[in-house]
Amino acid sequence: MVNAGYDIPIEISARHVHLSKSDFEALYGEGAQLTYIKELSQPGQYLCKERVDVVGPKGTFENVAILGPFRPESQIEISITDSRKLGIKHQIRQSGDIKETPGCTLRASGKEIQLDKGVIVAKRHIHMTPRDAIRLKVKDNDIVCILTTSYERSVIYADVVVRVNKAFKLAMHVDTDEGNAFDSAADPTGVILPLYDTRQYSLDKWKEELLAGISR
Amino acid sequence: MVNAGYDIPIEISARHVHLSKSDFEALYGEGAQLTYIKELSQPGQYLCKERVDVVGPKGTFENVAILGPFRPESQIEISITDSRKLGIKHQIRQSGDIKETPGCTLRASGKEIQLDKGVIVAKRHIHMTPRDAIRLKVKDNDIVCILTTSYERSVIYADVVVRVNKAFKLAMHVDTDEGNAFDSAADPTGVILPLYDTRQYSLDKWKEELLAGISR
């Protein structure tokens, strides 16, 4: 069959950290700069040479990647599996929405800082340009279902939020738990599955109906 | 709405080991017995006091739970996340199907044995009785989709195999990756979602159609 451009690359994000300039300087010294190593899939985002230890009440992850550039507020993105090891209650949030999230301790170069918020489990999402959105018939903040097939372990992800921005490149981002819940091939892709109209219907309602023996 | 008994408890299995009598005795000494601690959800299965270290080329998990009773062949059940840490290539298999699976080293009480096979990632499955199967309109070895809703992270699992046996108790088993890919509440449940007839249709075919712009 013809591929009409509806497949969406799926990228698996391991735990990582975005830092504010002031938090970075508190660890690495005043005037310290992020050292660029390589570009990431989203334009302008890059992996840094510097690393930090993320410390929770029950455990630590050493040498966690810092992604540049600096952000207005520091944000630590982990999986639910990671949250159990750290002993930090998980909060599923969109990037940037860190109000009332738990904090943690960061360590690097012999220094330590305490963050009072910023630890999130990223809500799964799709980055795309306005052009992609038109082609895929969605708009910013739509919630869609994504079907991904794999040997013995296909999954349909519900609750996937669409993020549209001229600066984005088409890619769905999931964390390592989500990525390992299907058996990801070398270059996994997903496709939007128009299961139901999220504006008029919800998966919860569907589940309720099925539990009551109603099959649509 | 009335709950017509269609909801299926979802249980998350952490990594664990089933041992043959001879492998257990090789570690714990001739005539050694498994020490019962507590019953598990499937009748006759129980958690043991004894534990083993599971050792792979790249990493080790210490004090992994042994589930009794003895089985004809030893079997080590891990998640894909675990397989990466151990450095063992993962194979998704049904329990008992360990032909041509990777092996590992097991350590306990100062002894060590080398298994040449038995490490699997369990294919997600539902245990049920014949009575459950009639009520849920499925049969042994059917492949079904299971819908589970959770805040911000609902999932539809495809490729779920149905296992029917008088000795079973109704429960879907997923591993920790799968369990953390949705935001499991205290007592999560799923429901069979009759998305398509797996005997006449496949999710792969559906994905192909969607990629070609065909919406059913």
Side-chain angles (χ1 to χ4, degrees):
Chain A
M1 288 193 193
V2 180
N3 184 327
Y6 295 142
D7 51 341
I8 298 167
I10 299 178
E11 298 175 349
I12 300 172
S13 302
R15 71 187 79 94
H16 64 271
V17 167
H18 303 279
L19 291 180
S20 68
K21 188 166 191 300
S22 64
D23 286 339
F24 182 76
E25 289 187 339
L27 291 167
Y28 279 92
E30 216 181 302
Q33 291 297 324
L34 290 167
T35 312
Y36 172 100
I37 289 191
K38 69 167 184 182
E39 193 147 340
L40 299 172
S41 82
Q42 289 309 309
Q45 301 290 305
Y46 57 91
L47 177 67
C48 301
K49 189 179 151 200
E50 294 78 14
R51 301 229 156 202
V52 286
D53 297 347
V54 176
V55 184
K58 282 176 60 181
T60 297
F61 289 110
E62 296 184 344
N63 296 314
V64 174
I66 301 174
L67 306 192
F70 291 128
R71 295 215 178 170
E73 294 187 292
S74 294
Q75 177 172 300
I76 292 85
E77 298 186 36
I78 60 175
S79 69
I80 297 182
T81 295
D82 292 344
S83 75
R84 299 235 163 87
K85 187 178 168 192
L86 291 171
I88 294 176
K89 200 167 150 33
H90 71 271
Q91 294 262 4
I92 299 173
R93 294 291 186 95
Q94 283 198 38
S95 183
D97 176 20
I98 61 167
K99 196 182 159 193
E100 287 168 22
T101 53
C104 69
T105 301
L106 297 181
R107 275 191 206 134
S109 68
K111 300 228 182 68
E112 185 174 301
I113 58 171
Q114 186 65 40
L115 301 182
D116 63 354
K117 62 181 176 185
V119 179
I120 66 167
V121 174
K123 183 172 164 73
R124 48 196 175 224
H125 56 279
I126 307 172
H127 294 279
M128 64 177 72
T129 63
R131 192 182 287 259
D132 292 324
I134 290 165
R135 185 166 41 83
L136 297 168
K137 302 183 185 72
V138 291
K139 59 184 197 309
D140 193 38
N141 272 315
D142 273 1
I143 303 293
V144 297
C145 292
I146 294 291
L147 162 62
T148 172
T149 58
S150 68
Y151 180 67
E152 299 281 32
R153 210 170 242 223
S154 297
V155 162
I156 298 164
Y157 294 108
D159 290 324
V160 183
V161 64
V162 171
R163 304 311 313 265
V164 180
N165 190 305
K166 268 201 303 188
F168 287 161
K169 189 181 156 189
L170 184 64
M172 172 170 174
H173 284 181
V174 297
D175 68 23
T176 46
D177 290 330
E178 295 168 319
N180 288 334
F182 74 102
D183 190 14
S184 53
D187 294 301
T189 64
V191 59
I192 293 174
L193 185 64
L195 268 186
Y196 57 96
D197 183 341
T198 53
R199 276 154 294 216
Q200 294 181 32
Y201 210 75
S202 80
L203 220 49
D204 286 310
K205 193 175 161 199
W206 198 357
K207 189 181 177 193
E208 253 189 33
E209 287 186 0
L210 287 164
L211 288 176
I214 301 165
S215 205
R216 292 197 304 152
Chain B
M1 287 194 191
V2 181
N3 183 329
Y6 294 142
D7 50 341
I8 299 167
I10 299 178
E11 298 175 350
I12 300 172
S13 303
R15 69 185 82 95
H16 64 271
V17 166
H18 303 279
L19 291 182
S20 68
K21 188 167 191 302
S22 64
D23 286 340
F24 182 75
E25 289 188 338
L27 291 167
Y28 279 91
E30 217 180 302
Q33 291 295 326
L34 290 167
T35 312
Y36 172 100
I37 289 190
K38 69 167 185 180
E39 194 147 340
L40 301 173
S41 81
Q42 290 307 308
Q45 302 289 304
Y46 56 91
L47 177 67
C48 301
K49 188 179 151 201
E50 293 78 14
R51 302 230 156 200
V52 287
D53 297 347
V54 175
V55 184
K58 282 176 62 182
T60 297
F61 289 110
E62 295 184 346
N63 297 314
V64 175
I66 301 175
L67 306 191
F70 291 129
R71 297 216 176 168
E73 294 187 291
S74 293
Q75 178 172 299
I76 292 84
E77 298 186 35
I78 61 174
S79 70
I80 297 181
T81 296
D82 292 343
S83 75
R84 300 235 162 88
K85 187 177 169 192
L86 291 170
I88 293 176
K89 200 169 151 33
H90 71 271
Q91 293 263 2
I92 299 173
R93 294 291 186 94
Q94 283 198 37
S95 184
D97 175 20
I98 61 168
K99 197 182 157 194
E100 289 168 19
T101 53
C104 69
T105 300
L106 297 182
R107 276 189 207 136
S109 70
K111 299 226 182 69
E112 184 173 303
I113 59 172
Q114 186 64 39
L115 301 182
D116 62 354
K117 62 180 177 188
V119 179
I120 66 167
V121 173
K123 183 173 165 73
R124 49 196 175 223
H125 57 279
I126 307 172
H127 294 279
M128 65 177 71
T129 63
R131 193 181 287 259
D132 292 325
I134 289 166
R135 185 166 42 83
L136 297 168
K137 302 185 184 71
V138 292
K139 59 182 197 312
D140 193 38
N141 273 315
D142 272 2
I143 303 293
V144 297
C145 291
I146 294 291
L147 162 63
T148 174
T149 58
S150 69
Y151 180 67
E152 298 282 33
R153 212 170 240 223
S154 297
V155 162
I156 297 163
Y157 292 108
D159 289 325
V160 184
V161 63
V162 171
R163 302 314 310 268
V164 180
N165 190 304
K166 269 202 301 191
F168 287 159
K169 188 180 159 192
L170 184 64
M172 174 169 172
H173 284 180
V174 299
D175 67 22
T176 45
D177 290 331
E178 295 168 321
N180 289 334
F182 73 102
D183 191 13
S184 52
D187 293 299
T189 63
V191 59
I192 293 174
L193 185 64
L195 268 186
Y196 57 95
D197 182 342
T198 53
R199 276 155 295 218
Q200 292 178 33
Y201 210 75
S202 80
L203 219 51
D204 286 310
K205 195 177 159 196
W206 199 357
K207 188 181 178 195
E208 253 189 35
E209 287 184 1
L210 287 164
L211 289 175
I214 300 166
S215 206
R216 293 197 302 151

